[in-house]
Amino acid sequence: MKKIITILTIGVLALLAVGCSKTDSNSESKVNENGKIKITASIFPVAEITKAIGGDKVDVLTLVPKGQEPHHFEPNTGAFKELISSKMFIYNGLGMEEWLNDVSAKLKENNILSVDSSNGVDVLKDGDKIDPHVWLSLKQVQVQAKNIKDALVKEDPKNESYYNENYERFIKDCNDLYSEYKPKFEELKNKNFVTCHAAFGYLCRDFGLTQESVSSLYADGEPTPGKLQELVNYCKEHNVKVIFSGTLSEPKTSETLAKEVGAKVVKIYTLESQDDDKTYLEAMKYNLDTIYNSMK
Ligand SMILES: [Zn+2]
């Protein structure tokens, strides 16, 4: 009998808990005057996916400002204020937001739903380091999109079919782009390219390519003379004609390397910050097209 009462009590408590959280999530306090859900995304690609799925139901602010390198970002007071006035905080995960631990208690205190968009992705490692640039995979970004869609549905269930529709469209666009370039890259003999910042590991895995980079995985500045010589040898050996450079990187090293091996420097988008007002899919198409053309 005692056991039954305990089970009943737990059941009632569980129901109460569900009831409470429901009331909280229906609170309108963090919805903008225009009725849109106020969301803070940590970095540009996460904001892009959120906008693609949330459409006109969401107001998305990107925490890392345009033109700023996100690996060593830390939110200042202004950014922090924006963050805690949001209803949801969506981040990339995989260690991209090194400052996350510093704010997680405050997020909880302020009842902000935190969403780890990379939960469940097929993680790529370089030695024992996790590669955080998961959005550069047209396949893994779909896991991020699913996590974001699920969070939006949870927060705003009455618009479930709207979010589902946008999500399906985003998935289709990613798959279409993937299918367009998969056979193209398969036909190529040369599958090596050189970039300024080793952000393209996931893209390489999707398409069976190999990247060599001027700076390390975490954008930690210029290479040593030894590493530079290694890159020169690599470029000569693999007949590399193009050195890719992101707009956030220091172009000098790429230029030095290009000059040394008779290659040219061409722009590529890591998408770590918005460039040239391109959407996620536009920038990905540009990347694939540009990489493909440099290898043909
Ligand atoms: Zn990076």
Side-chain angles (χ1 to χ4, degrees):
M1 186 64 186
K2 201 174 171 197
K3 204 174 176 188
I4 294 171
I5 290 171
T6 313
I7 291 169
L8 278 174
T9 312
I10 291 170
V12 169
L13 284 175
L15 277 175
L16 279 174
V18 170
C20 287
S21 66
K22 196 148 192 231
T23 316
D24 284 343
S25 72
N26 284 347
S27 120
E28 296 279 294
S29 62
K30 283 172 177 174
V31 169
N32 282 347
E33 308 84 64
N34 53 16
K36 298 182 182 192
I37 308 170
K38 214 173 156 183
I39 299 174
T40 299
S42 61
I43 55 172
F44 175 68
V46 175
E48 279 291 290
I49 309 164
T50 307
K51 283 178 194 167
I53 298 168
D56 60 12
K57 312 288 180 210
V58 296
D59 259 344
V60 184
L61 175 112
T62 312
L63 205 58
V64 179
K66 194 171 174 172
Q68 190 167 331
E69 194 276 299
H71 286 284
H72 305 111
F73 171 83
E74 270 180 37
N76 59 21
T77 319
F80 186 70
K81 259 190 187 160
E82 283 292 344
L83 181 57
I84 59 167
S85 71
S86 310
K87 182 98 175 158
M88 292 167 81
F89 169 55
I90 308 180
Y91 60 98
N92 183 72
L94 304 177
M96 192 67 195
E97 296 85 1
E98 285 179 2
W99 42 272
L100 201 61
N101 281 343
D102 303 338
V103 299
S104 57
K106 276 278 171 219
L107 291 173
K108 250 188 209 143
E109 226 172 80
N110 287 277
N111 242 337
I112 296 156
L113 177 68
S114 287
V115 181
D116 177 356
S117 69
S118 61
N119 189 19
V121 301
D122 184 3
V123 173
L124 189 64
K125 284 186 174 175
D126 180 31
D128 57 352
K129 280 183 184 167
I130 288 175
D131 184 342
H133 307 90
V134 63
W135 63 89
L136 288 165
S137 162
L138 284 169
K139 287 292 174 188
Q140 298 306 311
V141 78
Q142 298 181 29
V143 179
Q144 295 189 284
K146 170 90 167 46
N147 287 328
I148 293 170
K149 189 264 290 177
D150 288 348
L152 286 171
V153 170
K154 190 177 164 202
E155 200 63 30
D156 182 23
K158 66 178 186 303
N159 286 312
E160 181 173 3
S161 58
Y162 176 80
Y163 297 131
N164 273 328
E165 225 171 83
N166 289 346
Y167 164 74
E168 295 296 345
R169 190 182 313 120
F170 182 76
I171 298 297
K172 185 182 180 302
D173 289 345
C174 289
N175 283 332
D176 285 352
L177 195 53
Y178 177 83
S179 307
E180 185 186 341
Y181 281 90
K182 185 73 175 167
K184 284 187 170 192
F185 281 117
E186 266 165 11
E187 275 171 22
L188 291 180
K189 269 204 184 90
N190 172 22
K191 294 183 194 284
N192 306 285
F193 66 100
V194 175
T195 64
C196 52
H197 170 41
F200 297 88
Y202 286 92
L203 185 148
C204 287
R205 187 176 67 180
D206 280 358
F207 294 101
L209 311 175
T210 306
Q211 68 174 342
E212 272 294 314
S213 88
V214 175
S215 81
S216 82
L217 200 59
Y218 299 93
D220 282 335
E222 295 191 19
T224 60
K227 175 74 185 164
L228 196 59
Q229 189 53 51
E230 226 176 83
L231 281 163
V232 169
N233 297 343
Y234 180 90
C235 290
K236 286 182 175 164
E237 198 182 308
H238 292 92
N239 197 25
V240 171
K241 292 278 166 245
V242 174
I243 312 291
F244 292 106
S245 183
T247 47
L248 295 180
S249 335
E250 169 59 56
K252 221 180 88 204
T253 322
S254 301
E255 277 159 18
T256 311
L257 177 63
K259 217 171 171 187
E260 193 74 30
V261 299
K264 60 178 178 174
V265 178
V266 171
K267 179 155 66 174
I268 199 167
Y269 299 116
T270 62
L271 283 153
E272 288 180 345
S273 184
Q274 186 172 26
D275 270 320
D276 303 334
D277 291 326
K278 280 190 160 46
T279 65
Y280 170 78
L281 283 157
E282 286 166 355
M284 284 303 283
K285 183 165 173 58
Y286 168 92
N287 282 345
L288 292 170
D289 206 47
T290 311
I291 294 170
Y292 175 73
N293 284 322
S294 82
M295 292 171 154
K296 258 198 319 196

